[in-house]
Amino acid sequence: MSTFDLHAAARRAMRESGFPIEFPPDALQEAQHASASLDHDGARDLRGLLWSSIDNPDSRDLDQIEFVEALPDGSSRLLVGIADVDAFAPIASPLDRAAGERTTTVYTGIESFPMIPRTLSEGVTSLWDDQDRLAVVTELHVGPDGDVLETGVYRAWVRNRAKLAYEEIGAWLDNPGAPVPSSVQEVPGLDAQLRVQDAVSMRLRKVRLAAGALEFDTIEARPVMEDGRVVDLAVTQRGRARYLIENFMVAANTAVSGFLRSHGLPSIQRIVRRPARWERIVELARAAGEDLPGEPDASALSEFLNRRKKADPDHFPDLSLSIVKLLGPGEYAVIPPDGDLGEHFGLAVFGYTHSTAPNRRYIDLVTQRLLKAACAGAPTPYSLDELRAIAAHCNERAGAAQRVERIVRKSAAAVLLHGRVGETFKAIVTGVKAQGTYVRVLSPPVEGRVMHGERGLDVGDRVNVRLTGVDPERGFIDFERV
């Protein structure tokens, strides 16, 4: 099994899902010659601020950087700088057409397949440290209690002072007595800056939770490779650094929606509707000894989740996974300037865009163009029909990307489990369909199908299963209930 080629499997999954792997020559040529002058369109010069980024340690397509200024009255000025990808990939250009076809970077854990060529996404549009870069900045005036009082959007030149990693910064922020990481010590003043960012993030989080935002601890496993072999599945831990970035991104994306609306422009919003399977969520709560209202209630669900995390942290990821599955997927929807704001049930907000990852998501690049039009007082660069077509295509491609990622993860897991056929594992039901019941094994964190169509099971049920077979070629892991 060690000879199975996971890179070939990832590329095959991409092709079978309709994703082109190679970029057309005109897009590659445009990316190769991308450049921008330092006096570009009167962008503000904010290179003197103490910007930093926090991302995965191996990330090279850096989309966002952050800076916070504490104000005398206890409020703060939060700046979120987003890579100005549109400056190098303008609308209807070869790069735009290539990005619009793919709509997303696909991360398989074995190989990533970028939305735009790496010479761009990991080059002039990546907010690397110690490099002058163009950005679209969302500025938020955050009150002492965490309420966002005022927002603005403008273009600027920025310079990232430190490329930081989630795990290192999270371990430091989670433990007040921990030594300052060397990556922070190397930049004068960055220690204090990150402490201020963390404090503002926690105030934003408090407001979000009070409104009913849902916080989950879902298990995200990625293959660990050594000499081309899968040796383990690593689980991403959610630490304080991830919450910091999440809180800033939610605040920025919500502000962007309001900014476009105030300037009379449409937006593409991320919608998560009220869960159709709320009754099953109520059953899971009842099994834990608690009651939820008969109708969907984000605040009640949020409070329930917070209590369960404190009462049973070891099994909270399992509960999180069940409820995430029952909430259902999100989707993109076009909201006219005078239309009703779309609801994101999980975030407990109305009017939420995707704007913070234009190197990786096409919706964010489209939103960036709408923002720049608003800043310039120009009309929308897209008609409503064009936006609806883009949203529909991105919805379809997002589903395809998830399928690719799931197939490759299962192929890697099948390689890892080869030789363990016949062993019994504890698992949790993640889906029930006509073709079978799907489960996630608790350790190692792999997903598979229970053969022979078990009846009477539902999402969230715990079962014991025996591994009956693996097929890395098709990404199949088969179990039977015991």
Side-chain angles (χ1 to χ4, degrees):
M1 193 63 66
S2 60
T3 60
F4 184 77
D5 190 340
L6 284 168
H7 285 277
R11 289 173 171 258
R12 182 169 59 252
M14 287 286 289
R15 286 191 293 268
E16 290 176 353
S17 294
F19 284 102
I21 294 175
E22 304 299 332
F23 288 92
D26 56 353
L28 291 173
Q29 183 177 18
E30 186 178 23
Q32 191 68 36
H33 296 91
S35 63
S37 63
L38 289 178
D39 59 352
H40 193 77
D41 288 345
R44 301 185 191 184
D45 188 352
L46 300 184
R47 288 173 289 175
L49 299 181
L50 197 55
W51 297 98
S52 63
S53 63
I54 309 177
D55 213 313
N56 294 314
D58 56 350
S59 292
R60 300 182 60 83
D61 49 352
L62 305 181
D63 284 295
Q64 73 271 339
I65 53 178
E66 300 79 36
F67 171 78
V68 171
E69 178 188 9
L71 301 175
D73 63 355
S75 65
S76 304
R77 187 169 68 111
L78 165 62
L79 306 183
V80 178
I82 303 301
D84 189 346
V85 177
D86 172 66
F88 304 89
I91 191 170
S93 67
L95 281 169
D96 178 53
R97 290 194 295 271
E101 180 181 12
R102 291 159 175 79
T103 77
T104 183
T105 295
V106 182
Y107 299 95
T108 68
I110 302 299
E111 183 176 353
S112 62
F113 300 91
M115 182 182 77
I116 55 179
R118 296 184 195 277
T119 51
L120 202 67
S121 62
E122 298 178 5
V124 293
T125 62
S126 181
L127 299 178
W128 275 100
D129 52 330
D130 297 324
Q131 299 292 323
D132 294 334
R133 292 288 188 259
L134 274 170
V136 177
V137 175
T138 299
E139 178 174 330
L140 301 95
H141 183 194
V142 182
D145 56 1
D147 288 328
V148 177
L149 307 175
E150 189 178 5
T151 62
V153 178
Y154 47 83
R155 304 181 68 209
W157 282 96
V158 298
R159 189 179 183 90
N160 186 359
R161 301 304 173 120
K163 179 183 181 293
L164 307 173
Y166 282 125
E167 286 72 18
E168 182 181 44
I169 302 304
W172 171 56
L173 292 176
D174 283 328
N175 300 279
V180 179
S182 59
S183 58
V184 177
Q185 290 182 5
E186 292 170 358
V187 182
L190 187 56
D191 179 347
Q193 169 62 205
L194 290 172
R195 295 288 188 192
V196 173
Q197 289 190 22
D198 182 53
V200 172
S201 167
M202 290 300 104
R203 290 201 289 269
L204 290 167
R205 176 177 178 266
K206 183 178 180 180
V207 172
R208 290 179 55 217
L209 291 178
L214 308 179
E215 285 192 345
F216 301 105
D217 282 350
T218 53
I219 292 177
E220 299 177 17
R222 59 179 177 80
V224 177
M225 309 289 291
E226 287 184 7
D227 300 325
R229 296 182 302 108
V230 181
V231 296
D232 197 4
L233 294 175
V235 175
T236 299
Q237 301 294 334
R238 287 182 63 82
R240 202 168 177 118
R242 290 185 184 273
Y243 282 121
L244 186 156
I245 296 302
E246 178 182 300
N247 292 329
F248 284 179
M249 295 307 106
V250 171
N253 283 326
T254 306
V256 160
S257 176
F259 184 83
L260 291 173
R261 188 179 183 87
S262 69
H263 284 73
L265 270 71
S267 63
I268 299 180
Q269 295 183 8
R270 186 67 175 171
I271 308 294
V272 176
R273 305 184 190 281
R274 292 178 174 262
R277 296 211 60 199
W278 178 258
E279 76 286 346
R280 177 57 180 164
I281 296 176
V282 172
E283 289 178 9
L284 292 177
R286 189 176 298 121
E290 299 205 34
D291 292 323
L292 287 175
E295 296 297 323
D297 186 321
S299 294
L301 180 56
S302 176
E303 293 170 1
F304 163 70
L305 289 170
N306 291 335
R307 290 192 297 270
R308 294 312 304 164
K309 184 173 184 178
K310 294 176 182 177
D312 189 4
D314 291 340
H315 294 99
F316 185 67
D318 306 328
L319 176 64
S320 294
L321 176 64
S322 300
I323 293 180
V324 166
K325 294 285 187 179
L326 292 166
L327 287 178
E331 63 180 5
Y332 294 112
V334 177
I335 306 298
D338 56 351
D340 293 335
L341 294 176
E343 180 183 16
H344 194 299
F345 184 84
L347 297 176
V349 296
F350 286 86
Y352 179 79
T353 62
H354 270 173
S355 67
T356 56
N359 272 314
R360 317 178 194 194
R361 289 188 306 235
Y362 191 63
I363 289 291
D364 302 53
L365 179 55
V366 170
T367 298
Q368 187 167 88
R369 292 171 178 146
L370 293 167
L371 284 173
K372 290 167 76 172
C375 291
T380 172
Y382 298 96
S383 68
L384 288 177
D385 285 344
E386 287 172 329
L387 289 176
R388 292 187 181 105
I390 290 170
H393 182 54
C394 288
N395 283 331
E396 187 275 329
R397 289 289 81 193
Q402 289 173 353
R403 287 193 297 274
V404 170
E405 293 168 356
R406 185 167 58 248
I407 288 170
V408 178
R409 282 199 306 269
K410 287 186 175 181
S411 291
V415 171
L416 182 66
L417 289 178
H418 179 68
R420 300 186 66 177
V421 173
E423 290 189 28
T424 299
F425 302 88
K426 293 181 179 180
I428 184 171
V429 176
T430 58
V432 178
K433 299 181 180 180
Q435 60 268 40
T437 298
Y438 295 84
V439 298
R440 179 176 62 76
V441 169
L442 305 185
S443 180
V446 301
E447 293 184 277
R449 181 175 59 173
V450 178
M451 305 302 290
H452 313 305
E454 290 290 334
R455 295 181 178 273
L457 293 177
D458 205 343
V459 173
D461 288 338
R462 298 187 185 190
V463 293
N464 291 325
V465 294
R466 181 183 294 114
L467 181 63
T468 58
V470 297
D471 184 351
E473 187 76 26
R474 296 183 294 169
F476 284 2
I477 300 175
D478 294 332
F479 298 99
E480 63 181 7
R481 189 178 180 186
V482 295

